[in-house]
Amino acid sequence: MMWYRMLAIWTAYAVEPLVLQIPRRSFTRLRLMSDFEDLSHENLLSKWVEGIWTGLQSSDAGDPRDPGNCLESYRPSWNITRPSYFDSGLDEEPPRRYTLQVDTDKLLDIAGPAGRLIVSWTTGGPKRWSIAQNLALSIRRNTPELEPIFVFIALDADAVRRARDSGFNAVLNDGSGDLQDDIWKMRWLIQTTCVSLGLEVLVVDSDIVFLADPFRHFFFDSDVEAMTDHFFPAEQLWATWLRPAEHINTGFLFVRPSARLLAFLVEFIDVHYHGHEGPTPRDGMDQRVFNKFVMHKMEKSPPEVVSRYENITFSGLDWQGKTRRFTPRATWEVPIGSSDTITIRILDPVCISHGMNYFWRKAYKLKSCDGSGQPPAVVHVNGVDPKMYFLRDRNLWYVNDWDDRFNDSTSFLVYHHPKGLNLSADFEVLIAALEIGAYFRRRVVLPDTMNCANSPAYLIYNLSETMVDEPGCTYDYFAHANGLYEVYSRVKPYAIEAGIAREPRFKELSIQRLRGSLQLREELLSAHAERRAAFPSARVLEVDDIILLRDGLRSGSFGLRMNPEHVFSCAFQEPLIGAMACLDEPYVEEFGAEAMCEAQSFVKGCGPVGICCCWPFWGWGEKLQYFTGVKWDLPCNCGVSVCETFSRRLDSGSENCCRHAGSTALFPVTDPGVFYCETNFSWSGPTGAEDSNTYTSQALVEFAANKRTVQQSFQTCSLDRLLRRGDAFPETTLRECNLQFSQELKSYVVHALSS
């Protein structure tokens, strides 16, 4: 369908209005050019008519009927280049791509008269498509009025087929042939394409869920409106001691077309065009790279980016006060900015919610989003891992795949998990339930009644208020969610998420309470021999006292003795030092060593593999202290006693290892890949940023601006290489850091000479 607009024009020479009927595509281009020239539609057309008339009088002018001759001067400049050390010669570099290779007419048709799109992208692979399909279905179910303007950019033909089979819009992008590079650039190419067509576009990651119309929460006063990963943006936005990726969550970006924004986006793509600059790789996390790009623009004089949040306009970085981690400000190399300023508005992280605010804090209960206690408009499944677990457990999974997950023989076990237990007792009961699930060859429905007060974040993150009307907490409030899910749900079929109990298909299943124990021995032996669930007549088996049943089966009270070594392996649980934000070098430099969470402060110990309370990733426990000052102080093994530590002699001394409580084995039998002995690795002091080996390393950025000394910058590189890159000798670290900084200086000189 071709959309048309009726445009009425009055000119200085007209005594009556002139009414033109023009195609939708022409009108959107007219609007873009009008914004570019800062003229009204009628004045812009008057200017063109005068120019064409003048051109007709000139023998040197081209054919005025050729739109290219008339409008060339009104097109944004695309000749933005950046010398790249990666290229053997600039003349040999193939042309750079700054827009998608898609059917733009179709995008314009989908945008319709309002000139607005919602866009995501996906491949047709089953894993990627399932998440993308969930996004699309959430729009269809919760905001059906937005479905007509929603479209997938398909990265392969399978994605087009899957989208169209489900009734969703999709256009195929003819990519570069490098899928990884296309995915890195995709959100930015979508924006440049839509902006160049004069369209407003909301670009969303496929792991977004729509619960209500997000446009009601936009201000429409900025070039870009974006989600944030902050909990407290009014206090912490643009502080440089924080990880740069916190400020703007690029999984949710709304942009309004203008020539200055187009130039800004093209520059970002261009500056980070290649996967490597010499031997130095590009940061794989484009969100972190974009934040650094924005922060660099904010520091220019005058600033080329201005940021807003609610009624606050931020004057620059570190607006909270003087920072102690840099050299004196008078020594900084402050780049000169231009007069073209981009405005970026940060949206409310409660109503446009990142994953941590929704899946854990339930912050929407503290604030009105379209009505008191109503959920946010959108939820980003970021900062939570694994995504599929959280979507299913919190009942945000809209794909009807029950029959793909389960068959008629799949059986479940539910049990009474007592409330108000301390941490160790909570996890002892949980582990007992996993054992019973294994013995009965059933999937145990994980509890949602664990004691929320055991979380170190209980008060500071207001769980004491937001969880008061909930039955309790799920295990992921305390332990690494992916560990338990990977081991006991995906690899071993012992567990299923708590949220399944709220699903309609589950409620339809027959349920039976386990009564008596006279036939328990025969039933369990038969179930294992026949490879079926115990008591198969009931799809759901209910157990009252899970601890009593587990202890009886372990001790042989029912005529057979079950061995927990066949259910889980014991592993030595240690913190993942490089992930703890309270060890970040900028954080420690800013607040001093006394604010740091020393690596040795985490209580290491033996526990069931996959159940670890000092790995609460990503954005939850490992950032608690750095966001709030409250320590995440749970023991790595969650305080359980089902595993024990023993000392094993070696030729050169001894080592601490783990085995099941009561075992005497010196070499315990474990599942493949389980580390049951303490590693020799030790770490003391701060850690360097995980992107320190990339060509957008913060150490390089601050070194180039003369904000940090040579010694400080090399220290960051050294910390990163010793922790993450496996350097065994200081000489290796010195060589690699020297190469990285030499490369940056060389690129800087080449760029300066070409400017």
Side-chain angles (χ1 to χ4, degrees), residues 30-107:
L30 173 65
R31 187 174 63 183
L32 178 64
M33 296 171 189
S34 180
D35 291 343
F36 182 72
E37 286 290 297
D38 196 23
L39 294 172
S40 65
H41 296 154
E42 55 268 27
N43 288 339
L44 182 64
L45 286 175
S46 296
K47 182 178 179 180
W48 289 351
V49 170
E50 291 178 14
I52 293 170
W53 181 258
T54 302
L56 285 171
Q57 316 305 314
S58 171
S59 59
D60 296 330
D63 186 349
R65 293 167 295 181
D66 180 1
N69 290 328
C70 299
L71 307 180
E72 186 65 37
S73 62
Y74 299 100
R75 293 175 180 161
S77 172
W78 293 86
N79 299 318
I80 302 174
T81 59
R82 175 173 181 256
S84 172
Y85 178 71
F86 175 76
D87 303 310
S88 56
L90 290 175
D91 294 337
E92 301 173 9
E93 183 182 7
R96 296 187 175 192
R97 260 189 331 112
Y98 300 108
T99 56
L100 298 171
Q101 296 173 284
V102 297
D103 184 345
T104 55
D105 285 333
K106 184 167 184 179
L107 289 180

Side-chain angles (χ1 to χ4, degrees), residues 19-310:
V19 179
L20 301 178
Q21 186 177 30
I22 62 175
R24 161 70 191 155
R25 185 172 185 176
S26 299
F27 185 80
T28 56
R29 288 176 173 172
L30 173 65
R31 187 174 63 183
L32 178 64
M33 296 171 189
S34 180
D35 291 343
F36 182 72
E37 286 290 297
D38 196 23
L39 294 172
S40 65
H41 296 154
E42 55 268 27
N43 288 339
L44 182 64
L45 286 175
S46 296
K47 182 178 179 180
W48 289 351
V49 170
E50 291 178 14
I52 293 170
W53 181 258
T54 302
L56 285 171
Q57 316 305 314
S58 171
S59 59
D60 296 330
D63 186 349
R65 293 167 295 181
D66 180 1
N69 290 328
C70 299
L71 307 180
E72 186 65 37
S73 62
Y74 299 100
R75 293 175 180 161
S77 172
W78 293 86
N79 299 318
I80 302 174
T81 59
R82 175 173 181 256
S84 172
Y85 178 71
F86 175 76
D87 303 310
S88 56
L90 290 175
D91 294 337
E92 301 173 9
E93 183 182 7
R96 296 187 175 192
R97 260 189 331 112
Y98 300 108
T99 56
L100 298 171
Q101 296 173 284
V102 297
D103 184 345
T104 55
D105 285 333
K106 184 167 184 179
L107 289 180
L108 287 165
D109 285 344
I110 295 170
R116 177 181 293 171
L117 289 174
I118 302 171
V119 184
S120 190
W121 67 98
T122 185
T123 67
K127 184 176 180 180
R128 286 187 179 274
W129 170 248
S130 64
I131 294 288
Q133 185 184 14
N134 192 65
L135 159 66
L137 290 173
S138 76
I139 293 174
R140 176 173 291 173
R141 175 170 173 173
N142 300 321
T143 56
E145 70 278 9
L146 299 180
E147 185 180 344
I149 63 170
F150 173 69
V151 59
F152 281 118
I153 302 300
L155 303 189
D156 54 36
D158 281 345
V160 175
R161 176 183 57 80
R162 288 180 182 273
R164 291 178 178 171
D165 287 349
S166 299
F168 297 112
N169 296 317
V171 294
L172 179 65
N173 178 56
D174 295 323
S176 66
D178 184 343
L179 181 61
Q180 185 176 0
D181 187 64
D182 286 344
I183 291 174
W184 196 98
K185 293 174 181 170
M186 187 52 55
R187 80 178 84 249
W188 314 108
L189 296 176
I190 291 171
Q191 291 173 70
T192 54
T193 301
C194 293
V195 168
S196 68
L197 294 173
L199 301 176
E200 296 179 343
V201 61
L202 172 58
V203 185
V204 297
D205 281 356
S206 59
D207 60 343
I208 291 278
V209 176
F210 279 62
L211 300 178
D213 184 353
F215 291 99
R216 295 203 293 264
H217 298 279
F218 294 173
F219 288 70
F220 299 98
D221 63 350
S222 301
D223 296 289
V224 181
E225 300 194 48
M227 180 182 281
T228 180
D229 278 341
H230 276 291
F231 292 108
F232 315 109
E235 292 81 31
Q236 295 180 333
L237 263 172
W238 308 120
T240 59
W241 58 266
L242 288 160
R243 295 177 178 180
E246 314 287 7
H247 304 302
I248 297 174
N249 181 327
T250 56
F252 186 93
L253 296 170
F254 175 66
V255 299
R256 304 167 71 206
S258 68
R260 65 178 181 272
L261 179 62
L262 186 60
F264 173 82
L265 293 169
V266 169
E267 181 185 356
F268 173 73
I269 296 171
D270 196 81
V271 170
H272 309 99
Y273 199 84
H274 290 300
H276 283 78
E277 290 283 357
T280 308
R282 179 177 62 196
D283 186 356
M285 186 182 182
D286 64 299
Q287 175 170 313
R288 182 163 49 213
V289 177
F290 182 69
N291 272 277
K292 292 183 180 183
F293 181 74
V294 167
M295 293 166 76
H296 175 70
K297 295 281 189 181
M298 290 178 69
E299 278 206 301
K300 288 191 173 186
S301 180
E304 292 182 350
V305 168
V306 171
S307 175
R308 298 168 175 158
Y309 175 71
E310 293 184 341

